[in-house]
Amino acid sequence: MVCWLLIGGIINYLDRTNLSIATPEIMKDLGFSKTGIGLLGAIFSWVYASMQLPAGWLIDRYGAKRVYFVSIILWSVATALTGMANTLVMFIIARVFLGIGEAPTWPTGAKITSEWFPKKERGLATGFWDSASKWGPAISPPILIFLMVTFGWRGLFFATGLIGIIFGVIFLIYYRSPEKSRKLTEEELNYISSDHEKENEKEKEKIKWGTLFTYRTVWGLILGYFCTIWIWNIFLVFLPLYLIETYHISLTELVTYLVDI
């Protein structure tokens, strides 16, 4: 089951990092400045961050499967529309919808893990699918550069958007919650849901969003991610352009550099 989340996370990073691979060609073709490219990266990050809490609420209200499917389709369509953009404003709109669409990805992973695994096994399961955030940036450059060299920078966005849509449809058709799965025995289902009853009782307690910020753990998470994610995003947005402009690396050599990193 975690394979769904692993594959979805890797595709998520394909659509998140394709802009950085296409940036040199976009700047050459449309005349965008580095400031404009940085603005696109910042807008995506702000929208993605601000949509985390609403995404969690939607997942609890409408279910992980439904929200994840809509999320995949939305970010994939936003990716494909980027390939049709000709102005910075159109790129900004596409990046806004990309941020909205990708925001539920990791919260959905946490929800599906809680449904499919008892507490004592969730750490290993989470580590498996969360590794998509490392595998994605590691394997996406060769794939994305191949697509861009083959189809051009616009074709790159069309291709990655199509990959996401295909995955979303397959997920909708084949994914089942534990209660609806035909592959689980009654014993396995009881094992999975062994501690769900107590968790359901806790979920009935209504907690206002504002009270979350009274917990030190929440502030620890916020500050920790603030110190790491912005650096991570700088690498995702500008590293390929930096290597090309500073070291005059060709696209083929860029693949080798990024894979080694």
Side-chain angles (χ1 to χ4, degrees):
M1 193 51 56
V2 291
C3 288
W4 285 112
L5 304 176
L6 177 66
I7 296 171
I10 291 174
I11 294 174
N12 180 285
Y13 266 87
L14 284 176
D15 291 347
R16 189 182 303 194
T17 59
N18 51 18
L19 178 66
S20 65
I21 299 299
T23 286
E25 294 301 316
I26 292 174
M27 292 175 65
K28 185 188 304 182
D29 191 17
L30 301 179
F32 287 1
S33 65
K34 295 174 186 176
T35 303
I37 298 298
L39 177 63
L40 295 177
I43 286 174
F44 167 80
S45 298
W46 278 107
V47 173
Y48 180 84
S50 62
M51 287 301 297
Q52 293 297 300
L53 288 177
W57 178 80
L58 288 170
I59 293 165
D60 286 339
R61 184 173 179 83
Y62 296 106
K65 179 178 180 177
R66 187 181 303 177
V67 173
Y68 195 40
F69 170 71
V70 173
S71 167
I72 295 169
I73 298 302
L74 179 57
W75 96 53
S76 300
V77 170
T79 298
L81 290 177
T82 305
M84 302 173 64
N86 291 306
T87 66
L88 185 61
V89 173
M90 294 174 69
F91 269 84
I92 288 174
I93 293 172
R95 296 301 282 185
V96 167
F97 282 103
L98 182 71
I100 295 172
E102 290 200 351
T105 305
W106 264 250
T108 303
K111 185 68 174 181
I112 290 177
T113 301
S114 69
E115 292 176 349
W116 271 91
F117 296 88
K119 280 185 177 181
K120 61 184 178 181
E121 295 183 3
R122 290 177 194 170
L124 179 60
T126 300
F128 184 86
W129 61 259
D130 187 57
S131 67
S133 62
K134 309 301 180 291
W135 284 108
I139 68 176
S140 61
I143 297 172
L144 295 174
I145 291 176
F146 170 78
L147 291 173
M148 189 174 71
V149 171
T150 305
F151 303 109
W153 72 263
R154 293 187 184 277
L156 165 65
F157 289 101
F158 295 147
T160 49
L162 180 61
I163 290 171
I165 292 173
I166 292 172
F167 173 75
V169 172
I170 294 174
F171 174 83
L172 180 67
I173 294 173
Y174 291 104
Y175 174 79
R176 295 289 184 274
S177 62
E179 295 76 15
K180 297 180 180 179
S181 175
R182 298 177 180 177
K183 297 181 180 180
L184 291 177
T185 64
E186 184 176 352
E187 183 180 356
E188 289 172 328
L189 183 60
N190 290 335
Y191 175 73
I192 291 172
S193 58
S194 57
D195 49 14
H196 284 187
E197 187 175 342
K198 294 180 181 179
E199 293 176 347
N200 291 335
E201 290 177 1
K202 290 182 179 180
E203 288 179 0
K204 292 178 181 178
E205 300 177 10
K206 294 184 178 180
I207 301 176
K208 295 182 179 180
W209 285 12
T211 60
L212 293 173
F213 298 100
T214 62
Y215 294 98
R216 286 186 298 177
T217 357
V218 173
W219 282 106
L221 288 169
I222 292 173
L223 293 174
Y225 269 80
F226 175 80
C227 294
T228 58
I229 295 301
W230 73 275
I231 299 175
W232 181 244
N233 284 335
I234 287 175
F235 277 100
L236 289 180
V237 174
F238 281 116
L239 182 59
L241 182 64
Y242 169 77
L243 293 174
I244 289 174
E245 290 195 348
T246 304
Y247 297 101
H248 307 290
I249 299 172
S250 67
L251 289 175
T252 304
E253 292 171 326
L254 180 59
V255 174
T256 305
Y257 269 91
L258 293 177
V259 170
D260 288 342
I261 290 174

